[in-house]
Amino acid sequence: MSRPFLAALALGLGLATAGTVLAQPASQLRIGLREDPDILDPTLARTFVGRIVFASLCDKLFDINEKLEIVPQLATGYSWEDPKTLRITLRPGVKFHDGEAMDAEAVRYSLNRHLTLQGSFRRSEIGTIDAIEVVDPLTVRIRLKAPSSPFVSQLTDRAGMIVSPKAAEAAGRDFGARPVCAGPYRFVERVAQDRIVVEKFADYWDAGRIHINRISYLPIPDSSVRVANLQSGALDIVEIAPSDLPAVKGNRRLRVATREDLGYQSIIYNVGNGPRADTPFGRDPRVRAAFELAIDREALNQVVFEGLMVPTAQPVPPGSPFHDPNFKPEPRDLARAQALLKQAGVALPVVVEMTVPTNPELRQAAEVIQAMVKEAGFDLRIAAMEFASSLQAAQRGEFQTYLSAWSGRPDPDGNTWAFLHSRGAQNDGKSANPEVDRLLDAAREETDVAKRRALYAQVWAIALRQDRVRAYLWHREIIMGYAARVAEFSLLPDGIIRPQGIRLN
């Protein structure tokens, strides 16, 4: 990264270069994000960095704790009246940022909005809802079409975020431009690719745990630039790349927090989403199998990530009770890959395009993959694209392969159904296999851990080894660097920066 570029970026963002200490008022926290979030509408959003911003803006019915247990947030508790009927009690006295009351009617409205708004990414998560009933102002009854083991866990993320009905109705599709929720901070401004600013909401229900007046979120794709600004004092918390970890650890004014991600990094294959799927790569699973067999995940991990990631072949991380220890990455096998391409009768080299978000680490990973698959007979061409734009392009089917991450959920359904089911809202490659659908639906209804794990193992065998609709590469290690003056900062297993309790000394 050139010094002039760093200085220009710092000037444009109001940040400091590595050689300049820019003092920040104690009432403001500055967080460096690795990308610019997509829309700030809980119904339509899908980025991990967006979830970090939502943690200040939009409380959820439930949250998770250090042990991945479900804990109340806007709700005070829940109970199952029968396997298909959920009763949720709500916290009294909660207000939205516009002063309106957060009550059972607002919950009913928000859940129905998640189910019915065009383009909703929450529909796949809570689509098993049959009816939502307002029992009284602080009680909601949700009737499901079938029993659902993961249902409550879905309410610990964006599906559980409650929006102001008054504001949502007034804004319509533009709600994400000025979101109005019931979180600890209210929205102030957003400048695309530059900053998102929120300020403390005086009437927040848990105001005693909010100690900082204002938070600015600053999207900076390059880890080295984020770290330079952390070192200078211009930023307080940033996600850092493994290669920058020694510099942060060696600075006594900085601290590090790490967590194994609940999600994964994968390559999505376009097998049924428009004309870009109508290629030998999109039509023939043998070609996709050859592509994956040319990748050495462990070497990729060592070269790009200092060995800090966890190579994988499935969307469920090793720490989950639903992880299948027998489903491991296949060893790199160039001979077998070349034999599969010959069997498929394709002309060599097989030209494949990979969409990659404009992130230096992902770009490097793509280049390593490019070199690996070339030896098997592939000509991999990298198409870099701004992150939020790449998500939109993938949804439209304007990709052939897509190097994409998912931040993960405590329940495996949150890592699978929306991505591998034919009706999944985030199934960008439009894979469709009735048996995979049946197994994923059955796993939602099953409550026994061992039986659910066995159902998912069958999904992996069909979707990932037979149909080859995705290639899972690694589970990320989330690494946060933060200034020593940031007190009471803790990183939960989902990697989300929660503002509750944080102080600046």
Side-chain angles (χ1 to χ4, degrees), residues 178-437:
R178 295 196 67 86
V180 178
C181 297
Y185 292 82
R186 69 174 189 86
F187 179 84
V188 174
E189 68 169 340
R190 178 175 192 175
V191 178
Q193 305 296 328
D194 184 66
R195 66 185 180 274
I196 297 170
V197 181
V198 301
E199 67 180 14
K200 185 176 178 180
F201 177 49
D203 292 329
Y204 180 53
W205 66 270
D206 197 15
R209 296 178 63 211
I210 302 301
H211 310 297
I212 295 168
N213 291 337
R214 179 172 283 225
I215 303 176
S216 295
Y217 299 93
L218 303 152
I220 305 173
D222 194 303
S223 174
S224 64
V225 178
R226 293 195 300 272
V227 169
N229 282 283
L230 179 66
Q231 291 172 321
S232 74
L235 291 175
D236 300 299
I237 305 174
V238 303
E239 184 176 352
I240 62 178
S243 58
D244 291 315
L245 184 57
V248 177
K249 281 188 171 181
N251 189 325
R252 65 183 181 181
R253 294 183 292 107
L254 304 179
R255 303 288 183 268
V256 173
T258 62
R259 278 286 185 181
E260 183 182 303
D261 200 348
L262 296 172
Y264 52 78
Q265 189 81 40
S266 71
I267 304 174
I268 305 170
Y269 300 145
N270 188 349
V271 297
N273 194 357
R276 298 293 296 278
D278 190 20
T279 66
F281 193 94
R283 291 191 301 263
D284 196 330
R286 293 172 298 184
V287 179
R288 300 190 293 274
F291 185 84
E292 187 173 353
L293 284 165
I295 298 172
D296 185 332
R297 289 168 172 81
E298 186 53 52
L300 181 64
N301 180 31
Q302 295 296 331
V303 170
V304 183
F305 301 108
E306 313 290 329
L308 292 178
M309 304 304 171
V310 180
T312 193
Q314 61 183 288
V316 180
S320 169
F322 301 97
H323 178 82
D324 180 5
N326 297 316
F327 195 84
K328 300 176 181 178
E330 295 170 290
R332 189 180 194 226
D333 191 336
L334 287 176
R336 186 177 163 209
Q338 292 163 348
L340 283 169
L341 292 179
K342 184 176 181 180
Q343 188 181 105
V346 294
L348 299 182
V350 180
V351 176
V352 181
E353 183 181 90
M354 179 180 287
T355 301
V356 180
T358 49
N359 169 294
E361 294 78 46
L362 291 184
R363 174 71 188 221
Q364 186 183 0
E367 289 172 350
V368 173
I369 293 171
Q370 182 183 51
M372 288 177 171
V373 300
K374 183 178 181 179
E375 295 183 52
F378 290 92
D379 177 9
L380 182 63
R381 300 177 182 180
I382 298 170
M385 190 179 295
E386 187 274 326
F387 181 56
S389 299
S390 72
L391 288 174
Q392 295 165 4
Q395 188 180 0
R396 295 191 299 266
E398 296 171 3
F399 75 104
Q400 194 172 7
T401 69
Y402 180 28
L403 187 59
S404 177
W406 177 246
S407 53
R409 301 295 180 269
D411 190 279
D413 183 84
N415 285 8
T416 55
W417 201 99
F419 307 92
L420 298 175
H421 198 288
S422 64
R423 299 196 305 277
Q426 302 196 65
N427 181 355
D428 293 325
K430 293 293 183 288
S431 61
N433 185 309
E435 182 61 9
V436 170
D437 288 356

Side-chain angles (χ1 to χ4, degrees), residues 89-106:
T89 53
L90 303 175
R91 195 174 297 280
V94 178
K95 291 184 179 180
F96 290 112
H97 300 149
D98 59 2
E100 296 290 307
M102 196 292 299
D103 57 13
E105 181 55 39

Side-chain angles (χ1 to χ4, degrees), residues 3 12 32 38 45 58 70 78 130 153 168 175 227 265 300 342 353 465:
R3 188 74 181 178
D38 60 348
C58 301
I70 295 173
Y78 71 94
D130 189 43
S153 74
F175 177 78
V227 169
Q265 189 81 40
L300 181 64
K342 184 176 181 180
E353 183 181 90
R465 289 283 158 83

Side-chain angles (χ1 to χ4, degrees), residues 61 90-96 100-110 134 136-140 162-163 165:
L61 289 171
L90 303 175
R91 195 174 297 280
V94 178
K95 291 184 179 180
F96 290 112
E100 296 290 307
M102 196 292 299
D103 57 13
E105 181 55 39
V107 173
R108 184 202 65 81
Y109 174 88
S110 296
V134 173
D136 60 49
L138 294 177
T139 310
V140 177
I162 308 305
V163 304

